[in-house]
């Protein structure tokens, strides 16, 4: 072991559960006034795989949403962007198997028609229904599975935990397991609120946002302005800090539904409750983001990259993302190799100016580089440390106080196999 101190990572970067909040059960149905379901409708050939999910509010609710910045965006994204502007929602319907991307006017018409079918089944205006799709790009999204699936999914709507789990399962593609989280806590006003949600994503992941579909719910009484501000901040600090393979998808969508069913005063940007709610929402989204990174296609390890000592937040993110996206860094982690030279090279190539003689690097809290020079380490000890499920890497540029954290995963043989066989 060497005698150097580990790089200090800002406490605010590690995620901090707000006071009086804790994890709870219920997933997306943890919030009062939310029902969900997940069924096999027929978008996938395997009848054992669920492929249609519903998340439905008991009454029309406040909504905020964020979407992919990929210009080759899918038909559901094009439709949802228009409807999200109203700030009102009753339901989100999500299918897996077919992305309804690169499908032209016919694909857009099918997105509109499927939303209309659900609105009729629920007895609500079409504009209160959002739709999302994930899967293969190019094929048309047929309406037949909706015709039989929507009645079954509506009939199966429930507030129960199992229903939330079914919905989370129905949106999976190459995910190995459903990804859910929920929190409950008390705001400064004394109001007990719940937040819950699910997310899918394991490949084509580099937000803004990623091949990611997320539905997050709360029973807090938000207005449309505060909901949008809270969601944008949470997404920027969570889902937009994840990369699996540096590819941004065509279909990314994240919805926040606020039912207002918790008893308490309205939460506006000026209220004492707002900052605490924002912290809770960020905590929830960070937990879901970590689940995405740890389930990257073929991955065996979650990698957390911290870049500290940068001049600006933007430069810190550029360096951290360059390291996180480096195939050489990711394969070194897969091989249990504390090869800090690959981290240094990834940092140095990204265009951010720094003095290499001021750079420090740590693996798993163990100093491996100080002032741009190698630090002797016990290789056997490092191999033992690399058995962990999460591998933290920290780099200090020695230039300032800015920091960024990015989550990624290792790059394995299975990633190539999964994506080589994706359509076959």
């Amino acid at each position: 072991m060497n005698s150097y101190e580990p790089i200090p990572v800002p406490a605010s970067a590690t995620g901090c559960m707000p006071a009086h909040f804790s994890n709870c059960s219920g997933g997306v149905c943890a919030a009062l006034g939310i029902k969900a379901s997940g069924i096999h409708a027929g978008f996938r050939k395997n009848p054992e795989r669920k492929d249609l999910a519903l998340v439905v509010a008991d009454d029309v609710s406040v909504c905020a949403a964020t979407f992919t910045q990929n210009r080759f965006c899918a038909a559901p994204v094009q439709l949802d962007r228009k409807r999200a502007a109203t700030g009102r929602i009753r339901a989100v319907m999500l299918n897996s198997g077919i992305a309804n991307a690169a499908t032209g006017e016919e694909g857009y018409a099918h997105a509109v028609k499927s939303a209309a079918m659900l609105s009729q089944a629920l007895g609500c205006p079409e504009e209160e229904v959002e739709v999302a799709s994930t899967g293969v790009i190019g094929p048309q999204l047929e309406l037949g599975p909706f015709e039989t699936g929507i009645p079954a999914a509506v009939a199966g709507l429930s507030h129960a935990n199992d229903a939330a789990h079914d919905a989370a399962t129905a949106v999976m593609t190459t995910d190995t397991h459903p990804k859910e989280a929920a929190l409950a806590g008390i705001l400064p006003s004394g109001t007990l609120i719940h937040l819950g949600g699910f997310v899918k994503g394991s490949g084509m992941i580099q937000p803004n946002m990623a091949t990611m579909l997320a539905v997050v719910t709360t029973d807090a009484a938000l207005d449309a302005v505060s909901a949008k501000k809270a969601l944008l901040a949470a997404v920027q600090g969570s889902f937009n800090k994840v990369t699996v393979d540096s590819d941004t998808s065509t279909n990314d969508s994240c919805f926040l539904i606020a039912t207002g069913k918790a008893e308490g005063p309205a939460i506006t940007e000026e209220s004492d409750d707002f900052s605490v709610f924002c912290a809770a929402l960020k905590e929830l989204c960070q937990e879901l983001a970590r689940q995405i990174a740890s389930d990257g296609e073929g991955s065996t390890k979650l990698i957390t990259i911290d870049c500290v000592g940068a001049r600006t937040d933007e430069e810190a993110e550029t360096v951290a993302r360059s390291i996180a996206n480096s195939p050489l860094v990711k394969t070194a982690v897969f091989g249990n190799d504390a090869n800090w030279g690959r981290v240094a090279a990834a940092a140095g190539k990204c265009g951010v100016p720094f003095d290499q003689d001021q750079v420090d690097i740590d693996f798993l809290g163990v100093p491996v580089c100080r002032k741009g020079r190698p630090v002797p380490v016990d290789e056997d000890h490092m191999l033992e440390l690399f058995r962990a499920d999460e591998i933290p890497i920290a780099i200090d540029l020695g230039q300032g106080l800015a920091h960024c954290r990015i989550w990624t995963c290792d790059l394995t043989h299975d990633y190539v196999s999964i994506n080589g066989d994706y359509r076959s």
Side-chain angles (χ1 to χ4, degrees):
M1 299 292 290
N2 56 60
S3 60
Y4 294 94
E5 291 295 321
I7 295 171
V9 177
S12 60
T14 60
C16 183
M17 185 82 75
H20 309 300
F21 275 77
S22 59
N23 295 312
C24 67
S25 62
V28 76
C29 292
L32 299 175
I34 293 292
K35 296 178 181 177
S37 64
I39 67 163
H40 174 77
F43 299 104
R44 294 183 173 280
K45 295 178 181 179
N46 184 354
E48 300 300 317
R49 291 199 65 176
K50 295 178 173 62
D51 55 15
L52 182 66
L54 297 183
V55 179
V56 179
D58 293 345
D59 305 294
V60 61
S61 300
V62 169
C63 176
T66 62
F67 302 101
T68 182
Q69 294 181 22
N70 191 318
R71 297 189 64 83
F72 218 107
C73 62
V77 173
Q78 298 172 38
L79 175 64
D80 292 341
R81 278 178 173 153
K82 299 175 183 178
R83 295 186 173 180
T86 67
R88 308 291 285 174
I89 199 171
R90 179 73 193 285
V92 180
M93 177 168 61
L94 313 93
N95 76 273
S96 61
I98 300 295
N100 195 9
T103 51
E105 293 182 2
E106 182 179 358
Y108 186 84
H110 284 189
V112 173
K113 178 61 177 176
S114 65
M117 294 163 67
L118 179 58
S119 71
Q120 184 175 5
L122 295 175
C124 69
E126 292 182 25
E127 293 74 19
E128 293 176 4
V129 174
E130 304 268 27
V131 292
S133 301
T134 183
V136 179
I137 295 171
Q140 288 292 341
L141 180 65
E142 300 299 333
L143 294 176
F146 288 113
E147 293 172 351
T148 56
I150 286 176
V154 170
L157 285 168
S158 170
H159 298 292
N161 294 358
D162 288 348
H165 187 72
D166 288 344
T169 302
V171 295
M172 292 168 51
T173 51
T174 55
D175 308 66
T176 63
H177 58 81
K179 304 171 177 69
E180 305 174 81
L183 301 176
I186 300 175
L187 297 173
S189 64
T191 307
L192 172 64
I193 67 166
H194 303 81
L195 303 93
F198 63 74
V199 66
K200 70 79 50 185
S202 59
M204 200 180 282
I205 294 284
Q206 175 168 287
N208 295 305
M209 289 172 349
T211 182
M212 189 197 87
L213 302 182
V215 181
V216 178
T217 63
T218 182
D219 44 28
L222 299 167
D223 61 24
V225 174
S226 60
K228 182 176 182 179
K229 185 173 182 178
L231 181 64
L232 289 175
V235 166
Q236 181 60 23
S238 59
F239 300 131
N240 280 356
K241 295 295 188 290
V242 176
T243 178
V244 168
D245 48 21
S246 80
D247 279 328
T248 299
S249 173
T250 55
N251 290 60
D252 325 334
S253 304
C254 177
F255 304 94
L256 169 63
I257 304 172
T259 67
K261 296 293 185 180
E263 295 183 2
I267 301 176
T268 64
E269 291 183 75
E270 295 76 25
S271 69
D272 293 337
D273 288 347
F274 183 66
S275 61
V276 177
F277 175 82
C278 288
L281 180 62
K282 182 178 179 180
E283 179 73 18
L284 179 80
C285 291
Q286 283 192 346
E287 170 55 29
L288 292 171
R290 284 171 56 86
Q291 291 185 40
I292 291 174
S294 64
D295 191 35
E297 288 174 340
S299 69
T300 65
K301 300 178 188 297
L302 170 66
I303 306 173
T304 301
I305 309 289
D306 283 297
C307 177
V308 304
R311 296 181 301 181
T312 66
D313 291 343
E314 291 74 18
E315 289 187 350
E317 179 167 351
T318 298
V319 171
R321 198 174 289 277
S322 180
I323 296 167
N325 281 330
S326 167
L328 292 178
V329 172
K330 291 157 71 73
T331 50
V333 172
F334 173 60
N336 297 333
D337 182 8
N339 189 340
W340 66 266
R342 293 184 175 184
V343 174
K349 75 177 184 181
C350 67
V352 172
F354 59 80
D355 181 355
Q356 63 177 308
D357 291 330
Q358 298 301 314
V359 172
D360 298 340
I361 299 172
D362 290 359
F363 277 87
L364 298 114
V366 177
V368 293
C369 169
R370 286 296 180 268
K371 303 304 180 184
R373 301 294 186 272
V375 173
V377 297
D378 183 332
E379 295 291 351
D380 291 336
H381 177 64
M382 295 304 296
L383 283 172
E384 188 64 29
L385 291 179
F386 263 90
R387 297 183 187 275
D389 293 331
E390 180 173 356
I391 307 298
I393 299 173
I395 181 169
D396 186 345
L397 301 182
Q399 297 192 117
L401 299 176
H403 164 266
C404 180
R405 168 168 286 189
I406 297 286
W407 292 283
T408 188
C409 60
D410 57 347
L411 181 59
T412 72
H413 306 289
D414 286 344
Y415 178 86
V416 177
S417 298
I418 289 168
N419 284 284
D421 297 339
Y422 184 66
R423 293 202 307 161
S424 56

